[in-house]
Amino acid sequence: MKGGVLGWLGGALLLAQDAVAQEATSVAGNELSSWVLRRRGSASYACKCYPGDRCWPNNTKWQKLNATVGGNLQVNIPPGAPCYNSFKGPLGEVKTYNKDECDKVTSNWYNEQFQIELPAAGLWTYFTNDTCRPTTNPSDTCTLGYYPVLVIMAKTAAHIQAGINFARENNLRLIIRNTGHDFLGRSVGWGALVINTHSFQDIKFTNQYRGACNYSGSAVTVGAGVQAFQVLKQANALKPPKIMVTGECATVGVAGGLVQGGGHGPLTNFYGFLADTALQFKVITADGVLRTANAKTNSDLFWALRGGGPAAFGVIVEATYKTFDDKPSSGVHLDIDTSHTTNATLFWEAVRIFHGYSTHFVDNGLYVYYEIGTAGQNLHVHPFVGIGKTPAELQAVLQPMFDDFAKIGITYTSSSANYSTFYDLYNAMFETEVAGNSALTGGWTIGRKDVEDNHSAIINAFQTVLGAGSFMVGHMWSAGHGLPQNEWGNSAVNPRFRNVVDKLITIVPLAGNAPLADKAAAQDKLTNVVDAALRNAAPNGCAYINEADPYEPNWQQAFWGTNYPALLKIRQKYDPNGVFYAVSTPGTEKWEQIETGTRLCRKL
Ligand SMILES: Cc1cc2nc3c(=O)[nH]c(=O)nc-3n(C[C@H](O)[C@H](O)[C@H](O)COP(=O)(O)OP(=O)(O)OC[C@H]3O[C@@H](n4cnc5c(N)ncnc54)[C@H](O)[C@@H]3O)c2cc1C
Ligand SMILES: *[C@@H]1O[C@H](CO)[C@@H](O)[C@H](O)[C@H]1NC(C)=O
Ligand SMILES: *[C@@H]1O[C@H](CO)[C@@H](O)[C@H](O)[C@H]1NC(C)=O
Ligand SMILES: *[C@@H]1O[C@H](CO)[C@@H](O)[C@H](O)[C@H]1NC(C)=O
Ligand SMILES: *[C@@H]1O[C@H](CO)[C@@H](O)[C@H](O)[C@H]1NC(C)=O
Ligand SMILES: *[C@@H]1O[C@H](CO)[C@@H](O)[C@H](O)[C@H]1NC(C)=O
Ligand SMILES: *[C@@H]1O[C@H](CO)[C@@H](O)[C@H](O)[C@H]1NC(C)=O
Ligand SMILES: *[C@@H]1O[C@H](CO)[C@@H](O)[C@H](O)[C@H]1NC(C)=O
């Protein structure tokens, strides 16, 4: 090793400099001097620039950026800071206590829309590191945790371009933040510069789309910041009422992470993923160029943006999707909990019956949203959705399950409702969700074949999940049911999804500021106990990049299957130097967040 006697740092620096120099063309994009060289164990890393590093831009540069983005550059202060005397951030300490602001953030902490409208808040706080939650003791310490340092509240495409260019030229960690819903912590990141897209709120409908695709039906073009409830409300007001594919959660954005991960929802049985319904994107790539991506222009990028992974190929400025006529719909709620039975054997027998009908449900066009273990020993189906079905038709699909319940003598609570549109059902029968909680989330999907071949293994796996102190959210749909098979390859989602009948999220609750050893144990439990049980029981399943363990083993295969090699090539074409980063997305093999999840570095 060169410079051995110079001590650890000198040696590491020299070694790393050599390694960088050897790879100069592939690492590059940035000059050698704009990397921070670090070492961990025997590995060397070239890291992005953070406050305090010599390559961090000086004030003059930041002020110049601020002028370019119309004065929309802000220092990020964690949302809980008004409850503390001061916020001790990497750019210095500022006094922050403000009783009114503290009361406001405290009373709204679990309100999704409140958190969404903050510049950089992460709705699931685990990956913020929870170092500044609202408190009643102002002398507690508030630090940055894994939050970004600066935020551009972008108002125009030019602001986004300026942010991308600045991050690329100065080798900064860059985060795109839309609603902050991300379960995997991808819309936060220690010491980063954020581009917030929430201001992009345009919604424009057309009855006859004219564009690069051979599609002439109705469509909608939405800005990057539009949320599902906004576009669905306006679509419902059209004559006749229209609908589009969104998630079951009305506050998730429709042109950000959702479509780039795929985007499944109650309409997936009929039209596939949101990604399957995309007609065009306006997108800014890592070189700062605003591009149109559709079936004819930049068609590789168009394909990759449809399920190839969030924040991997560019920043979407606007997206155009197919819309569809809405239909009368009916729904059913079902609950089985300890008020019905405390007998675990009987309860799991009921779950086995319910879940055994998953293929039957989706083959009959149902969408089923359910939770198991959210209130101890409970099954909470809220709701079964029959789009275009009368209550009698929906009841007929469910009847075999109810008959089987009667045979084993389980009681339950159930109710049925009828609506003139799916939109009305969506608003009435789905529960509103909350923000501000901390948990590790994972997940896996169950193949049709797994249900048919070895259903008891699946129920055993569910018991393992609950036995580990975790709980589950399930979504039954079939992305291959309504979409013609010749269109399955039009988007980049894992082809395995087309034969999946249930998509599960697993949740391991843990405070974001828990001791590191507890975090390591929880991550190990998620990967190697909870999700491992599902993976083993459902070998025909795969994982969904938006609702999964960030450290999913063999992630390339799990998330994208046979599409991965093509996605990797497209990533290398549009972002060869890693301007963008989101964990476990195409082309990030050499990138790691070292030093307890802080510095983003490229392994040399
Ligand atoms: C309560 C809840 C319910 C959910 N229900 C569903 C569901 O039914 N179906 C489903 O498919 N998913 C669902 N999800 C998961 C959801 O798809 C992801 O959380 C998704 O990443 C959210 O995207 P966002 O843009 O709203 O959020 P953000 O957290 O702001 O962004 C998520 C990711 O997308 C990137 N990103 C955001 N905007 C852009 C952009 N304009 N250009 C490039 N990259 C961008 C971010 O950098 C980040 O990596 C749910 C999540 C939650 C919390
Ligand atoms: C800030 O950085 C720029 C570019 O590196 C340099 O030209 C300028 O002199 C610096 N300004 C100050 C005040 O250090
Ligand atoms: C950017 O400019 C605006 C308007 O002049 C100012 O209010 C804001 O504090 C500036 N941001 C930073 C980080 O200096
Ligand atoms: C994050 O939290 C862990 C404890 O879970 C702590 O050890 C670490 O210092 C924190 N890091 C930051 C940057 O807040
Ligand atoms: C549109 O249809 C024409 C004629 O059938 C076909 O040649 C062309 O490839 C199609 N284009 C797209 C984008 O599907
Ligand atoms: C629990 O339910 C199972 C299955 O119905 C039954 O065999 C068993 O006797 C029940 N146990 C008790 C204590 O009631
Ligand atoms: C259900 O709603 C539809 C549309 O509003 C209506 O036509 C139908 O009569 C209703 N059916 C029942 C059983 O209530
Ligand atoms: C069913 O799954 C279990 C658990 O993964 C496995 O051990 C068993 O071999 C499987 N049985 C069949 C018939 O596939």
Side-chain angles (χ1 to χ4, degrees), residues 114-440:
F114 174 81
Q115 294 265 3
I116 286 165
E117 284 166 14
L118 295 170
L123 271 55
W124 288 81
T125 65
Y126 183 80
F127 288 105
T128 74
N129 222 23
D130 265 340
T131 55
C132 190
R133 287 179 84 90
T135 180
T136 50
N137 180 6
S139 56
D140 281 351
T141 307
C142 163
T143 59
L144 190 65
Y146 294 164
Y147 267 126
V149 257
L150 287 129
V151 184
I152 298 170
M153 297 299 291
K155 303 288 190 287
T156 65
H159 295 166
I160 298 179
Q161 289 172 304
I164 294 174
N165 290 338
F166 191 83
R168 187 188 61 247
E169 286 159 9
N170 293 288
N171 204 16
L172 308 181
R173 171 87 190 266
L174 177 66
I175 304 269
I176 316 306
R177 198 273 190 184
N178 182 19
T179 66
H181 261 290
D182 206 88
F183 282 121
L184 293 83
R186 297 174 304 204
S187 43
V188 296
W190 181 74
L193 170 67
V194 165
I195 299 175
N196 178 308
T197 59
H198 192 65
S199 302
F200 289 72
Q201 289 290 342
D202 288 348
I203 301 177
K204 204 168 152 243
F205 294 95
T206 173
N207 279 326
Q208 263 206 310
Y209 179 75
R210 280 175 216 288
C213 297
N214 287 341
Y215 174 79
S216 56
S218 61
V220 63
T221 298
V222 293
V226 171
Q227 295 169 256
F229 72 89
Q230 298 169 308
V231 62
L232 291 178
K233 185 173 180 196
Q234 292 191 23
N236 180 255
L238 299 171
K239 288 196 173 52
K242 293 282 181 181
I243 196 83
M244 66 175 281
V245 178
T246 69
E248 59 73 33
C249 174
T251 54
V252 169
V254 290
L258 188 71
V259 66
Q260 293 171 85
H264 64 85
L267 277 78
T268 291
N269 277 312
F270 301 92
Y271 312 114
F273 290 91
L274 173 61
D276 294 321
T277 70
L279 296 165
Q280 174 167 295
F281 298 102
K282 296 272 173 69
V283 54
I284 303 171
T285 40
D287 54 6
V289 177
L290 174 63
R291 298 172 198 273
T292 297
N294 60 37
K296 283 196 182 128
T297 309
N298 298 311
S299 58
D300 53 354
L301 188 57
F302 179 53
W303 180 75
L305 288 169
R306 303 166 77 181
F313 304 97
V315 179
I316 294 175
V317 178
E318 67 168 48
T320 303
Y321 299 109
K322 294 178 186 175
T323 59
F324 309 96
D325 288 338
D326 204 348
K327 294 180 181 142
S329 300
S330 58
V332 163
H333 282 164
L334 170 71
D335 275 284
I336 300 178
D337 56 36
T338 48
S339 73
H340 304 101
T341 182
T342 53
N343 180 334
T345 311
L346 187 60
F347 170 77
W348 283 106
E349 195 54 17
V351 172
R352 190 189 63 72
I353 289 169
F354 158 73
H355 200 271
Y357 282 111
S358 49
T359 53
H360 167 75
F361 295 149
V362 301
D363 288 347
N364 282 283
L366 303 198
Y367 169 87
V368 185
Y369 178 90
Y370 71 96
E371 299 169 354
I372 295 182
T374 42
Q377 186 176 286
N378 77 321
L379 168 67
H380 180 69
V381 188
H382 268 230
F384 291 96
V385 179
I387 296 174
K389 285 198 168 22
T390 64
E393 286 166 344
L394 176 57
Q395 186 63 30
V397 179
L398 300 180
Q399 198 55 47
M401 173 187 73
F402 287 124
D403 291 346
D404 287 358
F405 284 165
K407 277 184 210 147
I408 64 162
I410 184 86
T411 59
Y412 50 84
T413 304
S414 179
S415 62
S416 166
N418 179 35
Y419 298 92
S420 57
T421 58
F422 165 70
Y423 176 74
D424 291 334
L425 182 151
Y426 185 71
N427 285 331
M429 295 196 80
F430 283 85
E431 290 166 311
T432 49
E433 284 161 278
V434 297
N437 286 315
S438 177
L440 269 170

Side-chain angles (χ1 to χ4, degrees), residues 99-114:
K99 186 176 183 305
D100 291 348
E101 288 298 313
C102 173
D103 289 348
K104 192 169 146 197
V105 70
T106 303
S107 59
N108 284 297
W109 188 252
Y110 297 100
N111 178 319
E112 279 192 325
Q113 198 59 26
F114 174 81

